[in-house]
Amino acid sequence: MNDITIIGAGPAGMMAAITAARHGARIVLLEQNTDIGKKLLSTGNGKCNYTNKKMDSSCFNGSIRLIKNGLSVFNENDTIAFFEELGIPAYDKNGYIYPNSKQAASVVAALRMEMMSLKIDVRTSFKVTDIKKTDKGYVVFSETDKVESKKLIIAAGLKAAPKLGSDGSMFKIIESLGHRFLPVVPALCGFYCEGLKFNKTAGVRCDCALTLHTSAGNTLCSEGELQITDYGMSGIPVFQISRYASMDIKNGNTPRLETDFMPRMSDDELLKYLRKRVACVKDKRSVNEMLNGILNQKLMLELIHQSKISPDKKAAMLDDKDLNKLVSVMKHTYVYMKKPRSFEFAQICAGGIDTKQIDPCTLSSKVCDNLYFAGEILDVDGICGGYNLQWAWTSGYIAGMESSK
């Protein structure tokens, strides 16, 4: 009988397997895909931003005690040292840590070689159909096979990028063991929105400051390069507030997104700037022509329409009422977030196994003896920038270490 079975050969599962094997445990690692680390290969646009030097519990959502304890045991410096030991030197880009090769494939290859060196039994194309708890431990079943072990680690992910393996197929099986899931929603994703003619502005990228207004009266701010798409909005600033918007929508609400297309200027500064532009107009140029160069042309034209000012109006005829309308649309355009993009397009999920049922120090189940969880399947998620992979390394390390005792 094996010491530990691990379900899921993603980053958390592989880290758990390596850690437990280094502590002398006999491991079998199960993966339903035809190969390990498929989702890891796609992270960071294939470059694998695997941690961040600016690490803090405030970068995560979930049980603060669990997150703080995790980072006190295995943090970003431990992750960098771990991969350097595997032959992967770190490349630091403003605190965002990548493999020096800029290839996620290098990280997967290093993990694969370490598991081979430790003689970890890796079984791919093993789709779990059931788990039974016995007096001796656990039996994990597929349609054609079964694996027995004394202990079990589940690192199967949630529903993000289902084609890469995280399809939610483990939910009912885990619930049958007595664990409950909090609502699971797409996160780090774009949103279908209303409020602008997105078909007219699709493809525009611009620096933007966003303020999310939820139904509960909460506001969250985010800034970065916004991507306007034909369906709505995407990009880093949208990703950073996505879990809150998705949760609000899940509860039947329509959060509002206040969009500031001129974040480097205050309202008063922009108004003074527009007054100067009008004062400099000595010819018959239009409003659209006068505003040339301030923002992307497609976006600026749409905002002029939103202001109810004709783009063909003579700029010299603009008064302060008109200019205030232009300031308002450039600094305070509201769009309505109707729904997140599907799990297929989400980098991660928010929600997961209720961590009230998890020991925050060992990541072991309070419901079943010798059962541990790691990675995204727990109700912990981070912002963009390597934080979710850090949680995978952290939780995988703790689950692997504790289960091998």
Side-chain angles (χ1 to χ4, degrees):
M1 179 182 286
N2 299 291
D3 293 320
I4 306 167
T5 297
I6 301 172
I7 299 174
M14 288 189 283
M15 174 61 87
I18 289 169
T19 303
R22 285 178 173 181
H23 284 78
R26 290 170 298 171
I27 308 297
V28 58
L29 176 61
L30 307 177
E31 170 56 50
Q32 71 173 354
N33 283 319
T34 56
D35 201 1
I36 63 172
K38 279 198 170 183
K39 190 183 290 187
L40 185 56
L41 288 171
S42 68
T43 59
N45 293 320
K47 296 180 181 180
C48 195
N49 172 203
Y50 63 84
T51 191
N52 198 300
K53 294 287 285 187
K54 301 170 184 176
M55 190 62 56
D56 187 80
S57 60
S58 64
C59 300
F60 297 87
N61 302 288
S63 166
I64 294 299
R65 183 184 174 195
L66 187 150
I67 294 162
K68 284 186 174 181
N69 178 75
L71 293 175
S72 71
V73 174
F74 195 90
N75 61 24
E76 71 280 8
N77 295 319
D78 298 309
T79 297
I80 292 168
F82 171 80
F83 282 108
E84 287 184 343
E85 181 185 348
L86 298 186
I88 303 290
Y91 172 75
D92 186 337
K93 184 178 180 181
N94 300 319
Y96 294 72
I97 305 300
Y98 298 82
N100 200 58
S101 64
K102 317 296 191 305
Q103 290 182 298
S106 300
V107 175
V108 175
L111 293 167
R112 188 194 305 274
M113 287 186 284
E114 181 66 6
M115 289 192 294
M116 290 175 63
S117 176
L118 292 166
K119 295 181 171 54
I120 293 170
D121 182 4
V122 179
R123 303 186 192 182
T124 55
S125 300
F126 192 108
K127 185 172 179 61
V128 176
T129 58
D130 199 7
I131 298 171
K132 296 296 184 185
K133 191 176 187 309
T134 70
D135 292 339
K136 296 181 180 179
Y138 293 88
V139 184
V140 180
F141 295 88
S142 71
E143 289 185 353
T144 59
D145 201 358
K146 67 179 182 179
V147 175
E148 298 181 61
S149 62
K150 299 172 185 175
K151 300 179 181 182
L152 178 63
I153 299 173
I154 299 179
L158 289 169
K159 292 184 177 182
K163 290 182 179 179
L164 300 179
S166 299
D167 57 8
S169 60
M170 289 290 298
F171 285 19
K172 288 184 178 180
I173 298 172
I174 293 169
E175 286 173 338
S176 73
L177 296 172
H179 278 275
R180 60 178 173 265
F181 281 83
L182 298 179
V184 175
V185 297
L188 302 191
C189 61
F191 284 78
Y192 294 90
C193 300
E194 293 179 355
L196 290 174
K197 292 181 179 178
F198 293 105
N199 61 326
K200 300 287 188 181
T201 53
V204 171
R205 292 173 178 249
C206 58
D207 288 338
C208 193
L210 302 178
T211 303
L212 176 69
H213 300 268
T214 68
S215 60
N218 298 321
T219 58
L220 296 103
C221 300
S222 179
E223 191 167 341
E225 186 182 64
L226 177 71
Q227 297 176 25
I228 301 178
T229 69
D230 57 355
Y231 59 82
M233 291 185 168
S234 187
I236 297 297
V238 176
F239 288 3
Q240 303 294 44
I241 51 88
S242 59
R243 68 109 57 203
Y244 302 99
S246 286
M247 287 293 185
D248 204 32
I249 293 168
K250 178 79 172 178
N251 292 329
N253 303 307
T254 303
R256 295 182 304 151
L257 196 59
E258 185 178 0
T259 310
D260 181 355
F261 294 106
M262 297 290 291
R264 303 291 177 265
M265 287 187 181
S266 68
D267 289 40
D268 286 344
E269 288 170 338
L270 181 56
L271 179 60
K272 290 177 182 177
Y273 176 76
L274 293 178
R275 283 171 176 163
K276 288 182 180 179
R277 291 287 286 258
V278 171
C280 290
V281 174
K282 304 298 182 183
D283 52 24
K284 297 181 179 180
R285 72 183 64 184
S286 66
V287 172
N288 190 32
E289 291 169 332
M290 183 200 77
L291 296 174
N292 177 60
I294 296 179
L295 290 169
N296 177 280
Q297 186 177 9
K298 289 196 298 184
L299 175 60
M300 191 72 255
L301 183 58
E302 170 60 13
L303 293 178
I304 294 170
H305 284 300
Q306 290 285 323
S307 74
K308 308 300 183 184
I309 298 171
S310 170
D312 298 320
K313 182 175 181 174
K314 296 296 181 284
M317 297 176 63
L318 292 172
D319 56 22
D320 258 16
K321 183 178 179 181
D322 293 324
L323 297 182
N324 276 299
K325 287 180 181 179
L326 291 172
V327 169
S328 181
V329 295
M330 282 192 265
K331 298 278 298 174
H332 306 284
T333 286
Y334 283 88
V335 299
Y336 297 87
M337 306 176 81
K338 305 301 289 186
K339 67 176 182 178
R341 295 204 79 193
S342 67
F343 289 108
E344 181 180 354
F345 299 100
Q347 292 186 21
I348 64 161
C349 294
I353 291 174
D354 189 347
T355 53
K356 291 179 181 177
Q357 295 181 305
I358 305 297
D359 185 310
C361 296
T362 65
L363 300 188
S364 61
S365 168
K366 294 180 181 179
V367 179
C368 297
D369 293 339
N370 297 319
L371 174 62
Y372 301 79
F373 294 95
E376 184 186 12
I377 201 162
L378 290 164
D379 181 28
V380 174
D381 60 277
I383 62 174
C384 286
Y387 296 96
N388 289 289
L389 275 179
Q390 179 59 51
W391 171 245
W393 312 129
T394 292
S395 58
Y397 176 85
I398 293 171
M401 179 181 63
E402 294 294 334
S403 62
S404 64
K405 291 180 178 179

